[in-house]
Amino acid sequence: MVQAGTRHDFVKTKEYRGPSVPSPLTNNPRAGQWTNAMSHNMIADYKRFLMTDGEGIRCSLYVSGCPFHCEGCYNSSIWDFQAGHEYNEKLEAQIMDDLAQSFVQGITFLGGEPLLNTGVLLPLARKIRERFGHTKDIWCWTGYTWEELMREGESPDKLDLLREIDILVDGRYIKTLHDSLLQFRGSSNQRIIDVPASLERGEVVIWGKLHDQERFIPEIYGHERAAGEGDAS
């Protein structure tokens, strides 16, 4: 296990790494170095009916444990694979009931690192597909880049889960590339990937609805309000 407070590049090449990898601000693993064997099937949090973790109204499942240890990570409190509580049938039933609501578009897997918690998420994703087909979409955030997931030697369960996912937000959070105007991601190296299209084409296909802001919304409102007040006077 990588110790908190340290950052290591375990691969000395930039081949098959993806944007901004390796980074001195994160841990950078070899292919297959980290696997689901690290997981304790722990859940840090579950949130219902959000509009922040992907498109539409969603349910969000936060798994525990992440060895990337990105500097400035918002969820560093759940780097520990034993944080939170164990995944159980009661929570799964709640998730399925929530997804059955007509106004819910889908579920989002976050963490922690979802692709190191496939023991929980892969069976859940398959149950969601069995019950709802593709009427509910599945989003997932990961510290891995697409290129890392595709490289030879990566554990096969990661690709198994990826095949159940519709949209993947990939890549480490790099605090020097932080940009608050980005849609659904924290740093400019991260991408919103259309997974089925990317798997079919054998290359990264960016989500067709990508729409980053050009300036802060409050700033826009502020200018419009000031202009309106000026006109009124």
Side-chain angles (χ1 to χ4, degrees):
M1 176 71 70
V2 176
Q3 296 298 314
T6 63
R7 304 290 185 275
H8 296 291
D9 180 22
F10 296 99
V11 183
K12 303 305 180 183
T13 175
K14 293 185 179 180
E15 292 183 303
Y16 311 112
R17 303 299 294 275
S20 298
V21 176
S23 168
L25 301 177
T26 75
N27 290 317
N28 305 288
R30 296 186 300 272
Q33 179 178 3
W34 300 335
T35 72
N36 180 63
M38 304 168 74
S39 172
H40 292 266
N41 295 337
M42 301 293 281
I43 302 302
D45 201 3
Y46 171 64
K47 297 180 179 180
R48 310 163 64 204
F49 314 146
L50 303 178
M51 298 183 68
T52 53
D53 295 336
E55 184 183 36
I57 298 174
R58 316 191 61 77
C59 300
S60 296
L61 185 63
Y62 293 77
V63 294
S64 300
C66 181
F68 282 108
H69 292 182
C70 302
E71 190 170 328
C73 172
Y74 296 123
N75 290 336
S76 59
S77 61
I78 56 173
W79 284 352
D80 186 346
F81 281 92
Q82 298 191 61
H85 58 88
E86 191 169 2
Y87 185 75
N88 55 55
E89 293 182 359
K90 181 179 179 181
L91 175 57
E92 183 171 285
Q94 180 70 64
I95 292 170
M96 300 300 277
D97 286 347
D98 292 341
L99 286 175
Q101 302 300 313
S102 61
F103 58 84
V104 174
Q105 179 169 327
I107 190 167
T108 301
F109 299 151
L110 309 97
E113 175 49 58
L115 292 176
L116 296 178
N117 282 271
T118 55
V120 167
L121 297 182
L122 184 54
L124 174 60
R126 287 172 172 167
K127 288 177 182 178
I128 291 170
R129 292 303 184 206
E130 181 180 355
R131 178 170 174 181
F132 300 108
H134 287 272
T135 64
K136 305 293 180 178
D137 61 17
I138 300 177
W139 283 51
C140 180
W141 265 249
T142 181
Y144 285 96
T145 65
W146 180 268
E147 291 80 4
E148 288 174 322
L149 294 172
M150 295 298 113
R151 62 186 171 177
E152 184 177 355
E154 201 47 76
S155 58
D157 58 312
K158 295 184 179 69
L159 189 56
D160 289 340
L161 179 57
L162 199 60
R163 291 190 183 103
E164 304 295 339
I165 291 168
D166 295 289
I167 302 295
L168 183 76
V169 182
D170 84 325
R172 334 284 199 260
Y173 170 70
I174 309 295
K175 72 172 186 176
T176 54
L177 300 177
H178 176 79
D179 186 343
S180 298
L181 302 182
L182 298 174
Q183 185 184 24
F184 300 134
R185 58 208 198 280
S187 56
S188 59
N189 59 296
Q190 297 171 316
R191 298 169 292 187
I192 307 178
I193 298 173
D194 182 326
V195 174
S198 298
L199 291 173
E200 182 178 356
R201 296 188 194 179
E203 61 182 12
V204 169
V205 177
I206 299 300
W207 183 47
K209 298 181 182 179
L210 179 67
H211 181 69
D212 293 332
Q213 294 174 216
E214 295 182 0
R215 53 180 175 160
F216 283 108
I217 295 298
E219 177 188 347
I220 297 172
Y221 287 162
H223 287 320
E224 290 182 347
R225 180 177 179 181
E229 288 174 348
D231 292 340
S233 61

